């Protein structure tokens, strides 16, 4: 969430930067709400000061034996005026907050122009896409033929966009999660967390999922409690420090968690409906970093290298792109996507997004630190996938497939799995 005074002070510059991501800032409406709120605060303060003066005068007149009825009437009228002014102030504050909650983060000027993945700028590539002497199959055909992915029975359980992994498939998913967590905790310095999968509306609002993306969430409740299934561990991890002041000496914080993620994928019907690329429930290892705002760009590059390390460990071919301003997520000011090569599609597909949100989420969630003078200020928050389990499994099956339908897995997984090869009949071999 933005500081309204900062947006107003930026003026046309804020309008320009938001226009790059397709958002039209109504600066006059913002100025009007901010001015009305300020006027009502001043009016309420003035009324409280007058009420205090009249109360003192009542006491003075009473001590002198004078008639206080008129003054008491004034005091009653002032109390009613104060209640009315405070109600108007609360209403104005809520209207201003409602507007601010809908304004996305300002993209950095270093982000490319454009509004789709076609305008992303390639930064680098790692590994050569595998070449095959045969027509490569997609992960669905491979997984079903091996008996390690079952979409038919998943549909029987839950409908479309769910999957069941079995045998070696389930083992690979477990191994991937453990490998990624080991990399992040033992090599990259993250602290692993086990977090709730159900969170409050306030928690969702803190990281920017609400109010804008409510249709993308799965909501539930217990009695009079409203709760939401998390779409990513970014939500609980970042909000662990909501309404707290983090000592500067403790920054940066590096947090990670492996959780299921739940997304309704509203508006995406017809896209990636085949297989495990876009599902209502999937598993992911998430990274979150919290730091001083002046350090956020360096932390972004560090987090990007941590996500890349997961793919390098597996020997998967990928590329890194920087997203265009109009294609950024709501809370991000700059984002890198890592795209893994999928032979069946002969293209790179997104497997991780790594974003610097600046102080945008911290303002919404009330996460602060102190400057060199001891004054509080918002921190910066960053998040990134490191990595999603399903999409990594899909890339592994497709890049590691053999002509006979078997899969030869990377060495990095063998110590976790106890096998290296899945034969065409679904059996495993060391």
């Amino acid at each position: 969430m933005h500081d309204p005074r900062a947006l107003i002070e930026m003026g046309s510059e804020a309008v320009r930067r938001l226009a790059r991501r397709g958002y039209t800032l109504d600066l006059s409406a913002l100025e009007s709400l901010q001015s009305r709120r300020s006027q009502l605060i001043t009016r309420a303060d003035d009324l409280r000061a007058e009420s205090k003066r009249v109360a003192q005068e009542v006491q003075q007149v009473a001590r002198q034996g004078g008639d206080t009825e008129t003054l008491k009437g004034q005091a009653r009228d002032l109390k009613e005026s104060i209640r009315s002014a405070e109600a108007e102030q609360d209403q104005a504050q809520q209207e201003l907050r409602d507007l601010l909650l809908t304004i996305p983060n300002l993209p950095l000027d270093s982000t490319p122009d454009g509004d789709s993945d076609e305008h992303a700028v390639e930064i680098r590539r790692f590994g050569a896409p595998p070449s095959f002497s045969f027509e490569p199959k997609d992960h669905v055909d491979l997984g079903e033929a091996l008996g390690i992915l079952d979409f038919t029975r998943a549909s029987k359980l839950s409908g479309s966009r769910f999957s069941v992994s079995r045998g070696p498939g389930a083992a690979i998913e477990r191994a991937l999660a453990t490998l990624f967590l080991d990399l992040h905790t033992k090599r990259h310095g993250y602290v692993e967390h086990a977090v709730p999968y159900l969170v409050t509306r306030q928690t969702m609002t803190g990281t920017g999922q609400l109010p804008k993306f409510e249709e993308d969430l799965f909501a539930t409740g217990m009695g009079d409690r409203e709760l939401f299934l998390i779409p990513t561990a970014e939500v609980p991890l970042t909000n662990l420090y909501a309404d707290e002041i983090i000592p500067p000496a403790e920054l940066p914080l590096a947090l990670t968690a492996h959780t299921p993620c739940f997304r309704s994928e509203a508006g995406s019907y017809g896209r990636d409906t085949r297989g495990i690329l876009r599902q209502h429930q999937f598993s992911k290892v998430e990274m979150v970093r919290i730091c001083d705002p002046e350090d956020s760009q360096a932390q972004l590059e560090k987090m990007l290298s941590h996500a890349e390390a997961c793919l390098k460990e597996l020997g998967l071919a990928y590329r890194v792109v920087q997203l265009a301003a109009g294609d950024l997520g709501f809370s991000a000011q700059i984002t890198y996507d890592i795209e893994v090569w999928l032979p069946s599609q002969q293209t790179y597909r997104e497997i991780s997004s790594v974003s610097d949100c600046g102080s945008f989420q911290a303002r919404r969630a009330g996460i602060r630190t102190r400057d060199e003078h001891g004054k509080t200020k918002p921190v910066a928050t960053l998040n990134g996938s490191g990595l999603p389990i399903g999409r990594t499994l899909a890339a592994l099956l497709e890049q590691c497939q053999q002509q006979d339908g078997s899969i030869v897995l990377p060495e990095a997984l063998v110590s976790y799995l106890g096998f290296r090869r899945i034969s065409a009949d679904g059996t495993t071999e060391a």
Side-chain angles (χ1 to χ4, degrees):
M1 188 166 66
H2 298 282
D3 179 346
R5 294 166 298 183
L7 287 179
I8 292 168
E9 184 177 336
M10 292 176 66
S12 60
E13 175 66 8
V15 173
R16 180 192 70 81
R17 289 175 63 181
L18 286 167
R20 293 188 66 228
R21 61 179 304 155
Y23 182 89
T24 301
L25 175 63
D26 190 339
L27 197 59
S28 61
L30 179 61
E31 290 174 333
S32 177
L33 283 172
Q34 174 69 3
S35 175
R36 180 165 173 261
R37 173 181 171 273
S38 297
Q39 291 171 2
L40 287 168
I41 289 174
T42 299
R43 178 168 174 251
D45 287 344
D46 290 345
L47 286 169
R48 281 189 286 267
E50 177 65 10
S51 177
K52 183 177 180 180
R53 186 195 66 77
V54 170
Q56 291 172 343
E57 188 175 350
V58 168
Q59 292 175 358
Q60 182 179 357
V61 171
R63 282 195 299 268
Q64 295 172 353
D67 184 0
T68 61
E69 287 305 311
T70 300
L71 288 171
K72 287 181 177 179
Q74 291 179 21
R76 287 191 294 271
D77 291 342
L78 282 167
K79 286 182 180 179
E80 184 58 39
S81 296
I82 290 170
R83 281 194 291 270
S84 177
E86 288 176 340
E88 289 185 65
Q89 178 185 326
D90 289 344
Q91 178 65 27
Q93 175 67 32
Q94 188 60 48
E95 291 178 12
L96 178 61
R97 177 177 169 79
D98 288 346
L99 173 59
L100 290 171
L101 286 175
T102 67
I103 302 174
N105 203 354
L106 297 170
L108 297 182
D109 283 336
S110 60
T111 57
D113 290 329
D115 60 2
S116 72
D117 55 7
E118 296 178 359
H119 301 105
V121 174
E122 184 173 308
I123 305 298
R124 57 180 169 269
R125 295 189 179 193
F126 173 84
S131 58
F132 300 96
S133 60
F134 57 93
E135 185 70 25
K137 297 178 180 179
D138 73 0
H139 68 278
V140 178
D141 289 339
L142 289 165
E144 290 184 329
L146 294 167
I148 64 174
L149 292 177
D150 192 332
F151 298 97
T152 302
R153 288 189 173 92
S155 179
K156 178 171 64 176
L157 296 174
S158 307
S160 62
R161 295 201 177 184
F162 290 89
S163 65
V164 169
S165 300
R166 65 181 298 274
I172 294 172
E173 291 197 1
R174 173 164 44 87
L176 285 171
T178 306
L179 170 64
F180 297 158
L181 287 171
D182 281 351
L183 286 173
H184 296 322
T185 58
K186 297 176 181 179
R187 188 185 299 180
H188 303 148
Y190 290 77
V191 177
E192 184 179 356
H193 289 69
V195 294
Y197 307 152
L198 289 164
V199 297
T200 64
R201 177 173 289 272
Q202 181 179 355
T203 300
M204 283 290 192
T205 302
T207 38
Q209 280 74 25
L210 289 176
K212 184 173 176 60
F213 301 106
E214 186 156 358
E215 66 174 1
D216 292 322
L217 304 173
F218 285 106
T220 183
M222 297 181 293
D224 59 352
R225 295 179 62 189
E226 179 189 45
L227 295 169
F228 296 87
L229 287 163
I230 59 170
T232 165
E234 166 204 345
V235 176
L237 285 176
T238 304
N239 281 281
L240 283 172
Y241 293 89
D243 300 316
E244 292 188 23
I245 300 174
I246 304 171
E250 295 183 11
L251 297 176
L253 297 174
L255 323 172
T256 189
H258 172 229
T259 69
C261 305
F262 306 90
R263 301 181 184 180
S264 73
E265 297 290 354
S268 66
Y269 295 100
R271 296 172 53 204
D272 295 328
T273 55
R274 178 175 168 82
I276 55 179
L277 296 183
R278 191 183 297 272
Q279 297 193 306
H280 293 312
Q281 176 186 321
F282 60 97
S283 177
K284 178 158 67 85
V285 174
E286 183 74 359
M287 303 176 292
V288 164
R289 297 184 79 87
I290 300 175
C291 65
D292 188 283
E294 294 183 3
D295 191 34
S296 69
Q297 285 297 284
Q299 294 295 320
L300 177 65
E301 296 298 327
K302 182 176 291 188
M303 179 178 282
L304 176 61
S305 73
H306 297 160
E308 288 185 76
C310 297
L311 291 171
K312 289 178 178 178
E313 197 77 8
L314 296 170
L316 294 174
Y318 70 87
R319 70 171 186 167
V320 177
V321 300
Q322 184 178 357
L323 295 191
D327 200 28
L328 294 174
F330 182 79
S331 297
Q333 63 179 6
I334 181 173
T335 295
Y336 291 110
D337 268 7
I338 304 175
E339 299 178 340
V340 71
W341 180 257
L342 287 184
S344 66
Q345 299 183 15
Q346 287 295 292
T347 191
Y348 290 96
R349 295 300 305 272
E350 183 233 319
I351 195 169
S352 173
S353 285
V354 182
S355 299
D356 173 8
C357 299
S359 62
F360 184 81
Q361 291 179 327
R363 288 187 179 279
R364 296 169 75 104
I367 310 171
R368 294 157 292 162
T369 188
R370 295 189 186 275
D371 62 19
E372 63 272 21
H373 305 295
K375 185 178 179 181
T376 61
K377 66 175 184 179
V379 298
T381 63
L382 303 93
N383 62 80
S385 301
L387 293 168
I389 305 306
R391 290 195 177 202
T392 305
L393 174 60
L396 276 174
L397 293 178
E398 294 200 13
Q399 288 198 33
C400 298
Q401 64 181 293
Q402 309 299 305
Q403 187 167 6
D404 64 357
S406 64
I407 306 294
V408 178
L409 296 164
E411 186 64 35
L413 285 175
V414 175
S415 62
Y416 294 95
L417 290 169
F419 60 86
R420 176 72 182 272
R421 183 172 182 270
I422 306 176
S423 300
D425 61 2
T427 59
T428 61
E429 302 174 18

